[in-house]
Amino acid sequence: MDAVSTKDTTTEARLTASPDLTGVATSVGGTLLVRAPDTGEVVGEVPDLDAAGVAALVARARTAQPGWAGLGVDGRAEVIERFRRLLWRRRGEVLHSMQAESGKLYEDALRDLAMLLDVAHYWTRVAGPLLADEPLRTRGLMGFGRRSVRTFEPHGVFGMIGPWNLPVVLSIGDALPALMAGNTVVCKPSEVTPLATLLAADLFVAAGGPPDVLLVATGGGRTGEALVDQVDAVHFTGSVATGRAVAARAGQRLIPCSLELGGKDPAIVLADADLKRAARGVVSYGLLVGGQACIAVERVYVQRDVHERFVELVVEQVRSLRLGPAGGPGVVDVAGMIHPPQVDIVEAHVRDAVERGARVLTGGRRGSVEASYEPTVLTDVDHTMRCMREETFGPVIPIMAVRDVDEAVRLANDSEYGLAASVWTGDPARGRAIARRLQVGTVTVNDAVMHAALPELPMGGWKASGLGGRGGPDAMRWACRQRVVQVLRLAGHPDLYWLPYRPRSTRNLERLFGLLYGR
Ligand code: NAP
């Protein structure tokens, strides 16, 4: 894909040098060079926007907003439906762009695209009823004779800041409810993976989307800061540390800010589980996108009676997987890291675990593919180890034996994170009961991860895993400002509460309050 050509349509070519960039993207004379993580080859270049560049983009989005809102829900839905169909027709380019900048598997890119299409379809279908004025019933005496309605209005310009692991879903995908609500949007993808987001924004225009409604601000962390300084609301997906910085900045401006942050998702495997299926599920979801997914299984607690057998099954599965550079459909199971410096974190977690007494049953070293780590299974792990407490975000499955359900629940909750969890059991009712004891935003029984691909479901973290969230009807409410309009139906009569006060009317009012509220 010709990333430079996208500058003219979606980004402002205002460039500044950025001395503090790390990782695969490098800034040369104010232009970010985007590199394939597995080969180091430059696969695109994009502007590294400074604060003035971001302000100019947001100003354009602000000018475009009333026209976009003026299209009405049906007009906006029509544009987004055309965009959805074009994304599918041009999927070859879109998948190529996703893979080139991230080195992710064909299957991972395909799933990202499918999620984006489904999200688009969902919001175009449900936005109308969700944005319609909502009559509100009131019960109290003070609401007597008054009719109240809640209306939903766009914030104006929405900022979407996204991470490098699922760049298109977590920038353009999260932009869709905001767009359907009548906001214009400026996305800030990670400097590591900006190309597919730029391509998608170009396709929005090619599908008939009005100019400046969906824009992309490319650059690093400073570009993200500048975006928070300019927009009317911000949705952020990324690490806890950056999330805190974004929330503090948004707090200074008192703009709405929702945060989807990191996770350390536990899987609890009970003795009555179908162990073969549970092992396969834990491996698939522990190694999803090479473990670089916020909701990947990051730690496993297995009842002691079945621990040995379960570990054997997991190791057998992991050993059968093919690690290699990503290619076409079905050729490889695990690829390298999207952001090469992440390999150092994975390596440090495994080293720390081994130094504290963990055993490596398979993997445990860098892979032969550039910027990769071999899929790894650890046992004899405990909560003194980084791999059980900090987000590893790599292909590591640490498995810990537990006495019983109580111990599994206690350890699962012993975390600063609270994104999602899974319970594997032969008894779904028991799984549901355990789910209610887990301090996380989503629990799946005999499954994991796929809930996040369903736009109907709200997704949000507890504890340090976030505030607010995405998905489900709540996301549309979040994309709007709300206004209550109350109209007095009995205009012309003095109100019970109006001045001046008289002893008799006050006593009557008191009696009425007693009858209504005091019994
Ligand atoms: P990150 O380092 O926090 O970066 C996220 C985004 O914020 C990037 O676009 C980054 O730009 C930008 N940024 C950096 N500093 C900023 C600042 N001061 N102000 C505003 N924006 C700033 O996260 P990441 O390493 O890209 O992504 C991995 C993390 O995302 C993991 O913790 C993962 O769990 C989390 N995640 C969460 C979810 C969820 O739904 N809960 C989903 C996916 C990922 P640059 O990259 O250009 O520096």
Side-chain angles (χ1 to χ4, degrees), residues 33-218:
L33 301 181
V34 182
R35 292 177 192 277
D38 45 358
T39 61
E41 182 200 344
V42 174
V43 289
E45 49 184 275
V46 298
D48 181 11
L49 288 191
D50 66 2
V54 172
L57 269 192
V58 173
R60 279 166 48 188
R62 205 174 287 294
T63 304
Q65 193 272 328
W68 174 244
L71 285 183
V73 186
D74 292 345
R76 298 195 292 271
E78 212 177 296
V79 171
I80 290 175
E81 279 295 272
R82 284 203 300 269
F83 172 49
R84 179 176 64 80
R85 287 192 288 269
L86 188 62
L87 278 166
W88 183 247
R89 275 207 304 281
R90 305 262 300 259
R91 65 186 174 282
E93 282 162 76
V94 177
L95 294 173
H96 173 75
S97 176
M98 287 176 177
Q99 282 197 282
E101 66 183 350
S102 70
K104 65 168 59 174
L105 298 181
Y106 185 84
E107 286 74 10
D108 290 334
L110 188 64
R111 194 177 40 246
D112 288 2
L113 177 61
M115 280 171 72
L116 179 63
L117 303 181
D118 193 26
V119 166
H121 194 46
Y122 170 74
W123 286 114
T124 54
R125 278 184 295 120
V126 303
L130 287 172
L131 292 170
D133 290 358
E134 180 185 292
L136 300 171
R137 289 174 67 94
T138 57
R139 283 178 48 251
L141 184 63
M142 289 170 229
F144 181 71
R146 292 162 169 82
R147 182 175 287 148
S148 305
V149 166
R150 177 157 65 151
T151 69
F152 301 95
E153 315 292 339
H155 289 285
V157 183
F158 225 107
M160 297 284 159
I161 303 179
W164 44 259
N165 61 335
L166 279 78
V168 177
V169 176
L170 300 175
S171 54
I172 304 288
D174 283 346
L176 293 170
L179 287 171
M180 277 308 301
N183 299 281
T184 50
V185 174
V186 180
C187 294
K188 207 305 272 180
S190 167
E191 65 191 347
V192 179
T193 50
L195 301 181
T197 305
L198 279 166
L199 174 59
D202 272 0
L203 293 180
F204 179 83
V205 176
D212 297 341
V213 164
L214 176 59
L215 292 165
V216 181
T218 50

Side-chain angles (χ1 to χ4, degrees), residues 352-353 356-358 380-389:
D352 167 79
R356 291 170 192 272
D380 296 342
V381 291
D382 61 42
H383 275 216
T384 64
M385 299 172 186
R386 294 179 69 189
C387 69
M388 295 301 277
R389 305 196 68 86

Side-chain angles (χ1 to χ4, degrees), residues 21 161-166 170 188-192 219-225 228 236-243 245-246 249 260-263 293-295 339 342 391 393 419 459 465 470:
L21 295 167
I161 303 179
W164 44 259
N165 61 335
L166 279 78
L170 300 175
K188 207 305 272 180
S190 167
E191 65 191 347
V192 179
R222 292 183 317 170
T223 308
E225 288 178 358
V228 180
F236 171 85
T237 307
S239 62
V240 174
T242 314
V246 167
R249 215 168 175 104
E260 286 282 359
L261 307 178
C294 56
I295 44 170
H339 187 34
Q342 191 66 29
E391 193 176 38
F393 224 57
L419 198 53
M459 178 185 161
S465 288
R470 68 165 62 82

